[in-house]
Amino acid sequence: MSDRILFYGAAKGRGVVCSVDGNNNIADVTVIPEGSFAKDWTQITALSGDRILFYGAAKGRGVICSVDDNNNIADVTVIPEGSFAKDWTQITALSGDRILFYGAAKGRGVICSVDDNNNIADVTVIPEGSFAKDWTQITALSGDRILFYGAAKGRGVICSVDDNNNIADVTVIPEGSFAKDWTQITALSGDRILFYGAAKGRGVICSVDDNNNIADVTVIPEGSFAKDWTEVSFLRPPESRLGVGRSAHSSFA
């Protein structure tokens, strides 16, 4: 089965679900018209069980939606205004139904659990100053690894995260190693990563091996993508990333 990717554009509240096959061919599958989505979502991440978390920083609100095999997206659990902190700039799902929230302004974070009933609870608080403050994209990879990317310097780091939520640098990717115009990054199946640059509507699909070597596989030329996508999220997280749900209580980051 092909992977699915959700592209979301905040300005018009529109989206599209695309397929990406094993040869990195990307095709529109379901167009989601203007006005279908709220326009204030600032982060979107896929969870296990064909669920999606939408987060809006301005109001600290969210919603967990379901997505079926026909790409129908429906609200399941509404998370009211003020439930979340408002300074999260990146959110990504980890294995074991955990979610990493990162706030660039203070270099802080929290790892939360989410259970099968969509209850979200803090598990590990990561204090201010623990993270660098220049990360602009974060995505989980297979094998309990996380890729951090900083656009300003074209730098990155691949970290490990263990079952106790300890995060450690594994491979530092020096300044200038990445292009600086990537605005969205999401992992795909098969140890692939999709990079998207809004300014030129361009992209690249890269491979990442077990030694954290990243290499271009398929270059997606300028103009191939629309330029208004503000969030791009993989909808079928690989099993190596997202596992069985954990028990949690109803409190939020």
Side-chain angles (χ1 to χ4, degrees):
M1 180 180 292
S2 294
D3 293 340
R4 296 181 295 173
I5 313 170
L6 172 63
F7 292 79
Y8 162 79
K12 296 181 178 179
R14 75 180 192 100
V16 64
V17 177
C18 293
S19 65
V20 55
D21 66 19
N23 294 317
N24 299 326
N25 298 304
I26 300 177
D28 290 358
V29 175
T30 301
V31 174
I32 304 170
E34 295 181 17
S36 298
F37 289 115
K39 297 181 179 182
D40 65 330
W41 301 128
T42 53
Q43 287 294 301
I44 299 173
T45 192
L47 307 175
S48 66
D50 286 332
R51 297 174 296 169
I52 315 168
L53 170 64
F54 294 78
Y55 162 79
K59 296 181 179 179
R61 75 182 191 99
V63 65
I64 294 178
C65 294
S66 63
V67 54
D68 66 19
D69 290 341
N70 295 316
N71 300 322
N72 297 304
I73 299 174
D75 291 358
V76 175
T77 301
V78 174
I79 303 168
E81 296 182 17
S83 298
F84 290 116
K86 297 182 180 182
D87 64 329
W88 301 129
T89 52
Q90 286 294 300
I91 300 174
T92 191
L94 307 174
S95 65
D97 280 338
R98 296 173 296 170
I99 311 170
L100 170 64
F101 294 77
Y102 161 79
K106 297 181 178 179
R108 77 181 190 100
V110 65
I111 295 178
C112 294
S113 63
V114 55
D115 68 14
D116 292 339
N117 294 317
N118 299 326
N119 298 306
I120 300 176
D122 290 359
V123 176
T124 300
V125 174
I126 303 168
E128 295 182 17
S130 299
F131 291 114
K133 297 181 179 181
D134 64 330
W135 301 128
T136 52
Q137 286 294 300
I138 301 174
T139 191
L141 308 175
S142 66
D144 283 335
R145 296 174 296 170
I146 314 170
L147 171 64
F148 293 77
Y149 161 80
K153 296 181 178 179
R155 76 181 191 100
V157 66
I158 294 178
C159 295
S160 64
V161 55
D162 66 20
D163 290 341
N164 294 318
N165 300 324
N166 298 305
I167 299 176
D169 290 358
V170 175
T171 301
V172 174
I173 303 168
E175 295 182 17
S177 299
F178 290 116
K180 297 181 179 181
D181 64 329
W182 301 128
T183 52
Q184 288 293 301
I185 301 175
T186 190
L188 306 174
S189 66
D191 283 334
R192 296 173 296 166
I193 313 170
L194 171 64
F195 294 77
Y196 162 78
K200 297 181 179 179
R202 76 181 191 99
V204 65
I205 294 177
C206 295
S207 64
V208 55
D209 67 19
D210 291 340
N211 295 317
N212 299 325
N213 298 305
I214 299 176
D216 290 358
V217 176
T218 301
V219 175
I220 303 167
E222 295 181 18
S224 299
F225 290 116
K227 297 181 179 181
D228 65 329
W229 301 128
T230 52
E231 284 295 308
V232 179
S233 180
F234 184 36
L235 291 186
R236 287 198 181 277
E239 290 302 320
S240 55
R241 270 184 60 203
L242 297 180
V244 178
R246 297 181 173 191
S247 176
H249 305 287
S250 55
S251 62
F252 307 105

